[in-house]
Amino acid sequence: MTELTLTVNGEEHTVDVDPAKPLADVLRDDMGLKGTKQSCSTGICGACTVRIDGEARKSCLHMAGAVEGADIRTVEDLVDAKTKELHPVQEAFLEEFSFQCGFCTPGFLNSTLSLLEKNPDPTEEEIKDALHGNICRCTGYVAILEGVKAAADKYDPEPEVEAAGD
């Protein structure tokens, strides 16, 4: 066991874990962040996708010791901590019914946000390319593609910052 400091959703956390333990397991078991789903454990399904330094990454393939010092963002980071409002990507997925059982949704949300942070106006082919590592066994993908397109319409990569005293 090793004491690691991980920055998850903007906060530093110290965990005492085997550095070879998959990040997905650390997030779920050691940190209680159950939004990250563990399914295949081989990087095929994408259910465990989180954002590591802004990139969509499969957390089952990243060992905890290898991500110390990285900026790790899970699906829990999407909801505004103060207002409890959903992120525009989550709103778009809800409006387009881009999920059924919801198991794969956290991975799709993180992959979508990673895409939109780099390319706020993606083509359908760019969307498909960004989501190619995520598998859904329920929706048939049409609703997911529509959700990503709607998210692109809603997403503002540079939200307005309130001035002090407002």
Side-chain angles (χ1 to χ4, degrees):
M1 302 296 252
T2 302
E3 191 172 276
L4 299 175
T5 301
L6 301 178
T7 303
V8 180
N9 299 332
E11 295 180 18
E12 282 192 1
H13 299 268
T14 301
V15 290
D16 192 28
V17 297
D18 178 349
K21 187 175 186 177
L23 177 59
D25 293 339
V26 171
L27 293 170
R28 288 184 61 78
D29 301 339
D30 300 297
M31 300 180 71
L33 296 169
K34 303 295 185 185
T36 301
K37 305 301 182 204
Q38 181 77 304
S39 183
C40 71
S41 300
T42 61
I44 294 172
C45 74
C48 68
T49 301
V50 297
R51 289 171 290 126
I52 301 175
D53 292 332
E55 298 291 327
R57 298 286 183 234
K58 295 169 182 172
S59 62
C60 71
L61 298 179
H62 289 271
M63 302 304 108
V67 296
E68 189 170 30
D71 178 33
I72 302 161
R73 301 287 172 155
T74 69
V75 71
E76 287 89 353
D77 188 54
L78 294 181
V79 173
D80 186 288
K82 292 179 185 172
T83 65
K84 303 299 182 201
E85 290 182 24
L86 295 178
H87 188 280
V89 173
Q90 291 171 303
E91 289 177 358
F93 270 56
L94 279 171
E95 290 168 6
E96 296 298 326
F97 302 100
S98 300
F99 58 90
Q100 284 184 17
C101 81
F103 192 83
C104 64
T105 304
F108 274 104
L109 291 170
N110 277 308
S111 293
T112 298
L113 187 54
S114 180
L115 166 66
L116 295 180
E117 286 174 343
K118 291 185 222 73
N119 179 1
D121 190 26
T123 65
E124 186 165 322
E125 282 306 310
E126 291 168 327
I127 293 169
K128 288 178 181 178
D129 186 54
L131 301 181
H132 80 276
N134 296 80
I135 295 173
C136 176
R137 292 179 172 92
C138 301
T139 67
Y141 298 98
V142 173
I144 294 170
L145 290 174
E146 293 304 314
V148 177
K149 291 175 190 175
D153 290 340
K154 289 176 164 287
Y155 180 68
D156 180 2
E158 297 178 25
E160 289 182 29
V161 177
E162 290 183 27
D166 282 354

